[in-house]
């Protein structure tokens, strides 16, 4: 049985809808992982012991266990304790927190490597430690790790396919559904791959734009 | 009022790291509008003393007073933080390595603290930044980032940043030591201008000529003590202590 790509246009609407879901999941999870990463970094570095220790355990769970398992736990597990999240929300939270922990590791190192004189200068004009962190140290730390955070975001895009297992019709699951009807796995998996690639290129483009914008202010 | 009396009053300042005594019982009084230079070899404790004044390097023992208020008051942690943040708003500091905020333009470097701490609106803070940057001759570069400025220009912006809080006292920690020789003068000019406006200043410096030309008093420090102090014409021309003569001999010789 040969390949027949002419079948694609007939099912393109489903694939495009899946694409939209993938983009939605990735963007929302990326935002959660970015701001979550900053919050986690500050907790890991500056929170009192009583908050820091339990937090480290949670961070370890997110880093040391499979994302797939985390998604199952959030979607199926939390129902048992009365937290019934829609699949999209569960998926976005799982992905977002998972990558927030990775971003937090990057941001922590960056915060520690901001020149000590910056904190001193900020304290000298009268800012409190918290104000100095917020306005002076953290913005510089985040600028310094934009490239590796960008890499994490591309990993996030790829891992968004895992959300299909809790029933979100994103790109991969949409492709599977079309294949279920047409028995044309090669054509539609290739198509899905092409869409992932295009989204990937867009993300790289956005990252380059951000990097160019902040290049002066570093 | 403490108008003419002991505007800055450092009483028996002591600081040690473990067994190492960096400051050994130093007392210093500065009147309002006076300019005091602190000179001495590296490791003499002069920067430590300066940094103790706004509590960046807290003293082990001793008191710092500014305009009748104790800077390093003993208070419970939270209250102390509030107190010291208020005190620091009144004490401007300029660093050897400028420490400008690289992610902000010159304008924002100057405007940020007044906006955050004095409740100025964005317009008011911007206007204040313009005034202060104009004063140090940096108005044309107001929207530049530090990475686009020369060392001398960075230091002038740093001075404007400190002045924007309308401090009662300015501390200069080797403000020109990191500059290329041809850039030193533009910073010195700004400091001279402040001197003419009767700003109270304490200056740690290696530049004897500058100290001689603007300062009311010069302190020579070595190994954590003030070896000798006096008006510049006396201390530079007729030092009484052998240690001072030795230091000045090396330094003035090296400068020529």
């Amino acid at each position: 049985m040969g390949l027949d790509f002419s079948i694609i246009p007939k099912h393109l609407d489903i694939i495009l809808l899946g694409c939209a879901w993938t983009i939605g999941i990735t963007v929302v999870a990326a935002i959660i992982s970015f701001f979550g990463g900053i919050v986690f970094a500050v907790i890991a570095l500056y929170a009192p012991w009583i908050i820091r220790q339990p937090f480290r355990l949670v961070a370890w769970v997110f880093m040391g266990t499979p994302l797939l398992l985390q998604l199952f736990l959030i979607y199926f597990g939390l129902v048992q304790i009365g937290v019934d999240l829609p699949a999209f929300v569960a998926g976005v939270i799982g992905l977002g927190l998972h990558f927030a922990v990775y971003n937090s590791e990057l941001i922590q190192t960056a915060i520690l490597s901001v020149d000590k004189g910056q904190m001193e200068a900020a304290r000298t004009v009268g800012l409190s430690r918290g104000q100095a962190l917020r306005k002076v140290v953290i913005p510089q730390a985040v600028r310094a790790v934009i490239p590796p955070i960008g890499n994490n975001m591309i990993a996030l895009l790829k891992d968004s396919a895992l959300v299909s297992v809790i029933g979100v019709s994103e790109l991969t699951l949409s492709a599977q559904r079309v294949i279920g009807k047409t028995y044309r796995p090669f054509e539609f998996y290739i198509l899905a791959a092409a869409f992932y690639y295009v989204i990937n290129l867009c993300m790289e483009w956005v990252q380059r734009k951000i990097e160019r914008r902040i290049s002066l202010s570093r | 009022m403490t108008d003419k009396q002991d505007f800055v009053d450092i009483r028996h300042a002591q600081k040690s790291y473990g067994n190492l005594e960096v400051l050994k019982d130093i007392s210093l009084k500065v009147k309002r509008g006076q300019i005091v230079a602190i000179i001495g070899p590296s490791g003499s404790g002069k920067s430590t003393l300066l940094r103790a004044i706004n509590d960046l390097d807290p003293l082990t023992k001793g008191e710092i007073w500014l305009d009748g208020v104790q800077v390093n008051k003993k208070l419970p942690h939270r209250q102390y933080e509030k107190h010291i943040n208020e005190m620091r708003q009144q004490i401007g500091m300029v660093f050897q390595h400028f420490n400008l905020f690289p992610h902000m333009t010159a304008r924002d470097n100057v405007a940020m603290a007044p906006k955050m701490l004095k409740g100025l609106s964005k317009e008011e803070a911007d206007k204040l930044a313009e005034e202060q940057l104009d004063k140090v001759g940096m108005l044309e570069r107001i929207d530049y980032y530090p990475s686009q400025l020369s060392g001398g220009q960075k230091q002038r912006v740093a001075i404007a940043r400190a002045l924007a809080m309308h401090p009662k006292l300015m501390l200069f920690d080797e403000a020109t030591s990191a500059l290329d020789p041809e850039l030193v003068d533009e910073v010195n000019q700004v400091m001279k201008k402040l001197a003419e406006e009767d700003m109270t200043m304490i200056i740690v410096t290696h530049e004897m000529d500058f100290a001689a030309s603007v300062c009311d008093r010069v302190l020579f420090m070595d190994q954590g003590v003030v070896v000798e102090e006096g008006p510049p014409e006396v201390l530079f021309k007729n030092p009484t202590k052998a240690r001072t003569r030795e230091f000045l001999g090396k330094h003035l010789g090296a400068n020529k």
Side-chain angles (χ1 to χ4, degrees):
Chain A
M1 175 161 130
L3 299 179
D4 178 13
F5 285 95
S6 66
I7 194 167
I8 287 176
K10 223 177 111 192
H11 300 276
L12 197 59
D13 51 344
I14 299 177
I15 300 292
L16 284 175
L17 190 64
C19 223
W21 277 102
T22 288
I23 293 170
I25 292 165
T26 304
V27 168
V28 178
I31 292 169
I32 293 175
S33 79
F34 179 75
F35 291 102
I38 295 173
V39 172
F40 288 179
V42 171
I43 292 174
L45 291 176
Y46 303 107
W49 186 87
I50 190 93
I51 298 171
R52 210 169 60 233
Q53 289 307 335
F55 169 77
R56 281 174 72 167
L57 184 72
V58 174
W60 178 84
V61 168
F62 273 104
M63 285 195 99
T65 63
L67 177 56
L68 189 59
L69 182 108
Q70 293 162 22
L71 291 172
F72 283 150
L73 189 66
I74 292 171
Y75 186 58
F76 299 114
L78 288 186
V79 176
Q80 282 176 273
I81 54 170
V83 186
D84 189 1
L85 298 170
F88 174 81
V89 175
V92 154
I93 291 177
L95 269 174
L97 293 184
H98 183 83
F99 281 92
V101 172
Y102 281 97
N103 286 345
S104 153
E105 297 286 316
L106 292 169
I107 294 168
Q108 279 177 52
T109 317
I111 286 176
L112 294 176
S113 54
V114 170
D115 181 48
K116 226 173 90 248
Q118 292 292 314
M119 175 59 95
E120 283 187 352
R123 296 305 308 270
T124 300
V125 286
L127 266 59
S128 70
R129 203 168 127 97
Q131 289 170 324
L133 277 176
R134 188 157 52 84
K135 294 296 269 190
V136 174
V137 177
I138 289 172
Q140 290 181 53
V142 169
R143 278 171 170 75
V145 288
I146 290 291
I149 284 183
N151 293 342
N152 278 355
M153 295 305 98
I154 283 170
L156 189 154
L157 164 68
K158 293 186 284 183
D159 283 353
S160 72
L162 287 172
V163 177
S164 61
V165 298
I166 55 172
V168 181
S169 304
E170 44 66 72
L171 186 49
T172 303
L173 186 56
S174 301
Q176 266 168 352
R177 287 197 172 141
V178 173
I179 291 161
K181 279 193 276 186
T182 60
Y183 303 105
R184 289 279 173 185
F186 189 87
E187 288 87 338
F188 284 99
Y189 282 137
I190 283 287
L191 181 65
F195 275 118
Y196 276 114
Y197 182 66
V198 170
I199 300 171
N200 211 320
L201 286 181
C202 294
M203 287 174 74
E204 279 177 34
W205 179 78
V206 170
Q207 188 187 339
R208 265 201 307 277
K209 271 209 100 112
I210 295 173
E211 278 175 43
R212 198 161 314 147
R213 245 189 112 146
I214 61 169
S215 67
L216 272 182
S217 56
R218 288 197 53 191
Chain B
M1 281 306 287
T2 53
D3 197 47
K4 281 283 161 202
Q5 301 302 316
D6 309 338
F7 188 60
V8 181
D9 189 358
I10 302 173
R11 300 177 189 165
H12 305 290
Q14 288 179 45
K15 167 129 190 131
S16 33
Y17 298 104
N19 285 333
L20 180 71
E21 271 192 288
V22 196
L23 299 176
K24 302 168 188 166
D25 194 23
I26 292 183
S27 292
L28 168 66
K29 294 181 196 303
V30 183
K31 293 190 200 316
R32 195 191 289 264
Q34 266 195 338
I35 299 165
V36 173
I38 308 176
I39 60 169
S42 54
S44 58
K46 54 192 193 308
S47 279
T48 310
L49 177 65
L50 196 75
R51 291 163 56 89
I53 294 173
N54 64 1
D55 208 50
L56 275 186
D57 276 346
L59 292 176
T60 313
K61 246 193 221 167
E63 295 175 2
I64 312 272
W65 292 74
L66 172 67
D67 200 12
V69 182
Q70 189 178 350
V71 177
N72 60 346
K73 221 188 267 183
K74 293 270 171 291
L75 287 170
H77 180 72
R78 258 165 210 277
Q79 280 167 289
Y80 183 72
E81 282 296 304
K82 196 164 171 290
H83 165 76
I84 195 66
N85 291 338
E86 277 163 18
M87 292 308 297
R88 281 175 178 155
Q89 294 182 30
Q90 305 170 29
I91 306 174
M93 186 160 196
V94 176
F95 300 87
Q96 182 179 359
H97 296 289
F98 331 123
N99 297 348
L100 283 185
F101 308 132
H103 58 301
M104 298 180 191
T105 59
R107 181 199 300 273
D108 291 339
N109 263 279
V110 179
M112 179 195 60
K115 205 162 40 187
M116 284 184 83
L117 302 172
K118 299 203 158 166
L120 267 59
S121 68
K122 189 175 162 7
E123 291 72 31
E124 290 168 327
D126 276 354
K127 196 164 153 286
L128 176 67
E130 279 162 27
E131 283 164 17
Q132 298 303 330
L133 285 167
D134 190 26
K135 191 169 178 177
V136 298
M138 287 295 294
L139 192 55
E140 322 85 81
R141 304 265 157 144
I142 190 163
D143 289 316
Y144 283 48
Y145 283 96
S147 61
Q148 300 168 291
L149 302 174
S150 73
Q153 293 173 332
K154 282 183 199 170
Q155 195 59 299
R156 285 189 279 152
V157 173
I159 293 172
R161 174 176 69 182
L163 291 175
M165 295 303 286
H166 300 300
K168 294 175 171 174
L169 167 68
M170 285 286 286
L171 308 174
F172 291 86
D173 190 4
E174 302 196 24
T176 55
S177 296
L179 297 177
D180 291 337
E182 74 269 21
L183 302 177
V184 168
D185 196 52
E186 59 186 85
V187 174
N188 282 347
Q189 290 306 326
V190 171
M191 290 169 70
K192 272 197 180 129
K193 199 164 155 191
L194 288 181
E196 283 156 17
E197 292 169 8
D198 286 328
M199 175 63 80
T200 313
M201 303 198 263
I202 304 179
I203 302 169
V204 167
T205 185
H206 286 296
E207 282 190 79
M208 306 304 155
D209 292 340
F210 181 71
S213 65
V214 301
C215 295
D216 301 297
R217 207 146 46 101
V218 180
L219 265 73
F220 172 61
M221 278 181 71
D222 191 20
Q223 299 185 344
V225 295
V226 177
V227 177
E228 187 166 354
E229 67 169 290
E233 53 277 15
V234 177
L235 192 119
F236 287 125
K237 303 269 160 54
N238 293 308
T240 55
K241 300 279 185 358
R243 183 71 192 91
T244 317
R245 275 200 294 275
E246 186 195 340
F247 174 80
L248 289 175
K250 261 190 219 156
H251 238 84
L252 297 176
N255 271 359
K256 296 292 142 168

